[in-house]
Short mmCIF file of all heavy atoms in Angstrom, two decimals:
data_model
loop_
_atom_site.label_atom_id
_atom_site.label_comp_id
_atom_site.label_asym_id
_atom_site.label_seq_id
_atom_site.Cartn_x
_atom_site.Cartn_y
_atom_site.Cartn_z
N GLY A 115 -18.71 56.44 6.42
CA GLY A 115 -18.64 55.51 7.53
C GLY A 115 -19.98 55.00 8.01
O GLY A 115 -20.03 54.13 8.88
N THR A 116 -21.09 55.50 7.45
CA THR A 116 -22.42 55.02 7.83
C THR A 116 -22.71 53.68 7.18
O THR A 116 -21.99 53.23 6.29
CB THR A 116 -23.50 56.03 7.41
OG1 THR A 116 -23.46 56.16 5.98
CG2 THR A 116 -23.30 57.38 8.06
N PHE A 117 -23.80 53.05 7.60
CA PHE A 117 -24.20 51.80 6.98
C PHE A 117 -24.62 52.01 5.52
O PHE A 117 -24.47 51.11 4.69
CB PHE A 117 -25.34 51.14 7.77
CG PHE A 117 -24.87 50.53 9.07
CD1 PHE A 117 -25.29 51.04 10.29
CD2 PHE A 117 -24.00 49.45 9.07
CE1 PHE A 117 -24.85 50.48 11.49
CE2 PHE A 117 -23.56 48.89 10.27
CZ PHE A 117 -23.99 49.41 11.47
N THR A 118 -25.13 53.20 5.19
CA THR A 118 -25.46 53.48 3.79
C THR A 118 -24.18 53.53 2.96
O THR A 118 -24.16 53.08 1.80
CB THR A 118 -26.23 54.81 3.66
OG1 THR A 118 -27.30 54.82 4.60
CG2 THR A 118 -26.81 54.94 2.26
N HIS A 119 -23.10 54.06 3.52
CA HIS A 119 -21.80 54.04 2.86
C HIS A 119 -21.35 52.60 2.63
O HIS A 119 -20.89 52.24 1.54
CB HIS A 119 -20.78 54.79 3.72
CG HIS A 119 -19.47 55.01 3.06
ND1 HIS A 119 -18.34 55.44 3.75
CD2 HIS A 119 -19.05 54.84 1.77
CE1 HIS A 119 -17.33 55.54 2.92
NE2 HIS A 119 -17.73 55.17 1.71
N THR A 120 -21.51 51.76 3.65
CA THR A 120 -21.16 50.34 3.52
C THR A 120 -21.98 49.68 2.42
O THR A 120 -21.45 48.89 1.63
CB THR A 120 -21.40 49.61 4.85
OG1 THR A 120 -20.62 50.22 5.88
CG2 THR A 120 -21.00 48.14 4.75
N ALA A 121 -23.27 50.00 2.35
CA ALA A 121 -24.14 49.43 1.32
C ALA A 121 -23.69 49.85 -0.07
O ALA A 121 -23.72 49.04 -1.01
CB ALA A 121 -25.59 49.85 1.56
N ALA A 122 -23.27 51.11 -0.22
CA ALA A 122 -22.80 51.60 -1.52
C ALA A 122 -21.56 50.84 -1.97
O ALA A 122 -21.44 50.42 -3.13
CB ALA A 122 -22.51 53.10 -1.45
N LEU A 123 -20.62 50.62 -1.04
CA LEU A 123 -19.40 49.88 -1.37
C LEU A 123 -19.70 48.41 -1.64
O LEU A 123 -19.08 47.79 -2.51
CB LEU A 123 -18.39 50.01 -0.23
CG LEU A 123 -17.86 51.43 0.03
CD1 LEU A 123 -16.97 51.44 1.27
CD2 LEU A 123 -17.10 51.95 -1.19
N LYS A 124 -20.64 47.85 -0.90
CA LYS A 124 -21.01 46.45 -1.11
C LYS A 124 -21.58 46.25 -2.50
O LYS A 124 -21.31 45.26 -3.17
CB LYS A 124 -22.02 46.01 -0.05
CG LYS A 124 -22.47 44.56 -0.18
CD LYS A 124 -23.49 44.20 0.90
CE LYS A 124 -23.90 42.73 0.77
NZ LYS A 124 -24.92 42.34 1.78
N HIS A 125 -22.37 47.21 -2.97
CA HIS A 125 -23.05 47.06 -4.27
C HIS A 125 -22.15 47.43 -5.44
O HIS A 125 -22.16 46.74 -6.47
CB HIS A 125 -24.30 47.92 -4.30
CG HIS A 125 -25.17 47.66 -5.50
ND1 HIS A 125 -26.05 46.60 -5.58
CD2 HIS A 125 -25.28 48.31 -6.68
CE1 HIS A 125 -26.66 46.61 -6.74
NE2 HIS A 125 -26.22 47.64 -7.43
N PHE A 126 -21.37 48.50 -5.31
CA PHE A 126 -20.58 49.00 -6.43
C PHE A 126 -19.09 48.68 -6.34
O PHE A 126 -18.37 48.88 -7.32
CB PHE A 126 -20.75 50.52 -6.55
CG PHE A 126 -22.13 50.95 -7.00
CD1 PHE A 126 -23.05 51.42 -6.07
CD2 PHE A 126 -22.51 50.86 -8.32
CE1 PHE A 126 -24.32 51.82 -6.47
CE2 PHE A 126 -23.78 51.24 -8.73
CZ PHE A 126 -24.69 51.72 -7.80
N GLY A 127 -18.63 48.20 -5.19
CA GLY A 127 -17.21 47.91 -5.04
C GLY A 127 -16.42 49.15 -4.66
O GLY A 127 -16.88 50.29 -4.80
N HIS A 128 -15.18 48.94 -4.22
CA HIS A 128 -14.37 50.04 -3.70
C HIS A 128 -13.74 50.90 -4.79
O HIS A 128 -13.13 51.94 -4.47
CB HIS A 128 -13.29 49.49 -2.77
CG HIS A 128 -13.82 49.03 -1.45
ND1 HIS A 128 -14.60 47.88 -1.30
CD2 HIS A 128 -13.69 49.55 -0.20
CE1 HIS A 128 -14.92 47.73 -0.03
NE2 HIS A 128 -14.38 48.73 0.66
N ALA A 129 -13.86 50.52 -6.05
CA ALA A 129 -13.33 51.36 -7.12
C ALA A 129 -14.29 52.49 -7.50
O ALA A 129 -13.91 53.41 -8.22
CB ALA A 129 -13.01 50.51 -8.35
N ALA A 130 -15.53 52.41 -7.03
CA ALA A 130 -16.50 53.48 -7.30
C ALA A 130 -16.13 54.73 -6.49
O ALA A 130 -15.55 54.63 -5.40
CB ALA A 130 -17.91 53.02 -6.94
#
Side-chain angles (χ1 to χ4, degrees):
T116 61
F117 286 114
T118 312
H119 188 192
T120 302
L123 295 175
K124 180 180 181 182
H125 189 80
F126 291 101
H128 286 71

